[in-house]
Amino acid sequence: MAFTLRKDIADASRIINNTFYWTFISPFRGKPVRVRATVSEMVKAGYNSVPIVAVISFFVGIILALQAAYQLKRVGALIYVANLVGVSLTRELSPILTAIIVSGRSGSAFAAEIGSMKAAEEVDALVTMGINPIRFLVSPKLIALMVMVPALTMLSDVIGISGGFLLSVSVLDIHPYNYYQQSINALLVKDVFTGLIKAWAFGIVITIVGAYQGFKVEGGAEEVGRRTTSSVVASIFLVIIFDLFFTMLFYYFT
Amino acid sequence: MEHAIEVSGLRTRYGDREVLKGLTFSIPKGKTTVILGGSGCGKSTLLKHLIGLLKPSEGSISINGREITTLTEPEMDTVRGRMGVLFQGAALLNSMTIADNVALPIREHTKINESTLQIMVRMKLDLVGLSGFDHFFPSQLSGGMKKRAGIARALALDPETLFFDEPSAGLDPVTAAGLDELIFKLRDVFRMTIVVVTHELPSVFTIADHIIMLDKGDILFAGTLEGLRASDHPRIRMFLERKSEQEIYSPDDYFRVIAGD
Ligand SMILES: Nc1ncnc2c1ncn2[C@@H]1O[C@H](COP(=O)(O)OP(=O)(O)OP(=O)(O)O)[C@@H](O)[C@H]1O
Ligand SMILES: [Mg+2]
């Protein structure tokens, strides 16, 4: 037990090291990251997630506005719905919702793809062709998620706030201009920015967890399935841990 | 005779089961060496050691005079650059077409322009009888066609040494004979050192210059085809004459075996 844990940690740190080396250092030594694969990963992870992120963010914006109104109405401060919706979305909910959606869609796909390649000896074949599997498979995914999770988070910010806005002006009878002004005043660049930093870190976490679980596959299809499931559970868990860490950091230092 | 590969005292284990039990042998340069042996005796495992995918727990492997068990990954890559490998399951990348699979090592290691690359890929595919299948994905090919595409990929960089894990398993006799001819051609025309793992006896008798026979992780025989034919070792005779290993049970014994007491 203690032995396997130590081995797991060693494996994980090797994957983290290699991933960062092949993504950020080796391009400057003449081994560039594969551009076409990166674009294709961006489309799969980012562009194809737009509809689901948009719909979920819109509904969460509405839900937030309603929940906020439920409290604020009693103290006659209904206009502060704008603050609550804006701040909690940009600082917290957009990054975390996006990360959970991307874990489910892309993190699991990474684990399944790499795992089935491992099971079919395709990873071994890459090695014998002198192609580093991390550079070939993981670096494009890492870059894709480092760009796309923040991008989707920004989309989620905009659509979530629109959802809150639509509900407030229709159901809560807040004047659109007032809501707009209130949101602008409430939101600081800092709020949006810290959200995006979180999103960027979540992108890294999701890629590494997916890759780690994929490369762990030794056997066949059944193990690929198991690893895929673990990758989703583990990346959501780690995303929350990182969220806690960053939120504490931002609370004390910004 | 010059040796391309020299192995001494090679031991390896999976967990605490020893799979290769101290193998010492050499593989001559510019010849075809066949590795024979029953299923599960460690042939694929041995091949994976020769191409540096697995590290032995003991022993040394030298390829063209270079000890590979102590090389770092980048050093190993330069050794691998002159090897071509066909895996037992072909191991083509399923996300790419056959043409892209064959082009992959060339794209990664050379700066050849696209049109020359296309011509090279077509030549390799033609060599294994797969012209016209460039745009197929691996999942759209039969098992035998995958094997041949895997061979085309192994040949992509014109290697010095080729490793084939069961190239003709699952091929019809005509295609298998064509493959044997290809192996001849690679040896005679391109002067490649070829290491083939196979079970197919007809093919062994055609292509082998040198034979290494494994049995349960040990070397049973190493030498020429004539030597193998002349051997009177019972397990070798069994293999060559395709005799079953199991003793014939009496009906009573058989009943006892399946009843589990
Ligand atoms: N990854 C692994 N983990 C544990 N044991 C393994 C592993 N791979 C192979 N083995 C064991 O090692 C032994 C040799 O396997 P290997 O694949 O080398 O056999 P082989 O000679 O190639 O057989 P075949 O002709 O059926 O391909 C087998 O008994 C197998 O159970
Ligand atoms: Mg085998």
Side-chain angles (χ1 to χ4, degrees):
Chain A
M1 184 61 212
F3 174 75
T4 53
L5 183 69
R6 219 168 51 218
K7 189 170 174 305
D8 287 349
I9 292 173
D11 286 347
S13 56
R14 202 172 54 238
I15 285 183
I16 294 170
N17 266 334
N18 284 336
T19 305
F20 284 107
Y21 174 81
W22 288 103
T23 312
F24 300 113
I25 299 173
S26 88
F28 298 103
R29 299 186 177 168
K31 280 266 178 199
V33 170
R34 298 158 67 223
V35 177
R36 270 195 15 216
T38 309
V39 173
S40 131
E41 294 293 348
M42 281 180 170
V43 171
K44 277 192 278 182
Y47 182 75
N48 293 348
S49 305
V50 166
I52 180 77
V53 169
V55 171
I56 290 186
S57 307
F58 185 74
F59 290 151
V60 168
I62 293 175
I63 294 166
L64 267 182
L66 277 173
Q67 297 284 27
Y70 171 69
Q71 286 287 317
L72 293 171
K73 198 167 50 187
R74 283 192 282 188
V75 289
L78 209 50
I79 187 65
Y80 285 96
V81 167
N83 299 41
L84 246 156
V85 169
V87 171
S88 46
L89 273 172
T90 53
R91 285 183 71 103
E92 185 57 49
L93 282 166
S94 289
I96 205 107
L97 278 175
T98 309
I100 287 172
I101 294 168
V102 173
S103 299
R105 289 189 77 251
S106 305
S108 61
F110 293 172
E113 180 190 333
I114 296 174
S116 52
M117 289 184 71
K118 188 92 194 299
E121 296 184 314
E122 290 175 39
V123 172
D124 285 347
L126 284 175
V127 173
T128 57
M129 286 188 276
I131 299 171
N132 185 290
I134 301 263
R135 177 174 85 86
F136 193 83
L137 296 170
V138 186
S139 294
K141 295 175 175 29
L142 180 68
I143 294 181
L145 286 205
M146 282 194 318
V147 174
M148 281 313 185
V149 180
L152 288 170
T153 300
M154 266 194 280
L155 176 84
S156 168
D157 287 344
V158 172
I159 295 191
I161 291 175
S162 315
F165 172 81
L166 284 180
L167 183 107
S168 304
V169 298
S170 55
V171 179
L172 306 179
D173 287 330
I174 300 175
H175 191 276
Y177 181 76
N178 290 347
Y179 191 95
Y180 170 77
Q181 269 303 327
Q182 189 72 18
S183 292
I184 293 290
N185 291 338
L187 276 178
L188 305 174
V189 176
K190 181 178 87 175
D191 297 326
V192 179
F193 194 66
T194 53
L196 294 182
I197 289 183
K198 277 186 189 175
W200 175 80
F202 296 163
I204 297 176
V205 170
I206 296 166
T207 316
I208 301 272
V209 171
Y212 168 80
Q213 294 289 352
F215 281 115
K216 276 247 152 192
V217 170
E218 301 276 347
E222 175 264 353
E223 198 188 352
V224 175
R226 201 149 38 80
R227 291 283 173 191
T228 306
T229 313
S230 326
S231 85
V232 178
V233 177
S235 61
I236 291 177
F237 178 75
L238 281 177
V239 159
I240 302 282
I241 300 284
F242 271 74
D243 190 18
L244 179 67
F245 169 75
F246 277 109
T247 307
M248 273 159 57
L249 202 70
F250 294 146
Y251 182 82
Y252 288 110
F253 293 103
T254 59
Chain B
M1 199 172 4
E2 221 187 325
H3 290 138
I5 300 174
E6 279 172 283
V7 174
S8 92
L10 176 67
R11 269 173 203 286
T12 198
R13 45 176 62 85
Y14 285 117
D16 40 58
R17 207 167 116 240
E18 198 165 56
V19 182
L20 301 176
K21 302 166 182 165
L23 306 184
T24 302
F25 62 89
S26 48
I27 289 177
K29 210 184 188 94
K31 304 259 192 238
T32 305
T33 300
V34 170
I35 300 177
L36 274 179
S39 194
C41 71
K43 303 181 299 295
S44 299
T45 307
L46 173 60
L47 211 60
K48 283 189 182 159
H49 281 85
L50 298 183
I51 57 182
L53 279 179
L54 296 175
K55 295 263 181 256
S57 30
E58 258 177 59
S60 70
I61 302 168
S62 97
I63 294 191
N64 293 321
R66 207 154 171 210
E67 174 60 44
I68 62 161
T69 48
T70 51
L71 293 186
T72 61
E73 275 303 299
E75 289 170 332
M76 193 59 217
D77 279 345
T78 63
V79 176
R80 287 191 187 116
R82 281 171 289 158
M83 289 178 176
V85 184
L86 168 71
F87 284 84
Q88 191 162 357
L92 298 167
L93 301 191
N94 276 309
S95 55
M96 295 182 177
T97 63
I98 297 305
D100 284 337
N101 262 289
V102 178
L104 180 64
I106 312 179
R107 283 209 178 100
E108 287 290 322
H109 295 294
T110 62
K111 297 221 182 314
I112 288 176
N113 69 36
E114 197 55 33
S115 54
T116 323
L117 181 74
Q118 292 304 330
I119 293 171
M120 284 176 72
V121 168
R122 263 181 246 130
M123 272 168 52
K124 304 292 175 198
L125 285 177
D126 186 54
L127 204 59
V128 295
L130 281 179
S131 324
F133 289 97
D134 324 31
H135 296 299
F136 280 59
F137 281 89
S139 56
Q140 297 168 309
L141 299 186
S142 75
M145 290 160 90
K146 277 186 211 165
K147 280 262 162 80
R148 284 184 280 151
I151 293 177
R153 184 178 67 182
L155 292 174
L157 289 171
D158 299 319
E160 286 173 5
T161 320
L162 275 172
F163 297 89
F164 291 163
D165 198 346
E166 310 210 359
S168 46
L171 298 189
D172 64 280
V174 178
T175 316
L179 209 64
D180 290 348
E181 228 139 76
L182 174 66
I183 292 177
F184 264 129
K185 190 154 76 179
L186 294 172
R187 185 197 63 186
D188 292 342
V189 182
F190 300 96
R191 306 243 161 265
M192 294 180 183
T193 305
I194 301 170
V195 181
V196 184
V197 168
T198 186
H199 294 297
E200 313 282 308
L201 286 174
S203 151
V204 176
F205 293 138
T206 336
I207 60 174
D209 297 313
H210 188 78
I211 290 176
I212 294 166
M213 188 161 172
L214 298 183
D215 185 36
K216 305 204 178 90
D218 268 321
I219 293 191
L220 198 58
F221 174 87
T224 58
L225 192 55
E226 289 72 45
L228 184 79
R229 276 210 175 105
S231 162
D232 51 10
H233 191 291
R235 293 194 64 86
I236 297 181
R237 296 253 54 95
M238 251 197 277
F239 201 90
L240 295 184
E241 286 155 22
R242 309 193 61 197
K243 282 217 190 90
S244 146
E245 194 170 14
Q246 256 153 10
E247 306 104 66
I248 313 296
Y249 295 123
S250 73
D252 283 349
D253 287 342
Y254 182 66
F255 182 78
R256 230 168 278 134
V257 168
I258 58 172
D261 56 28

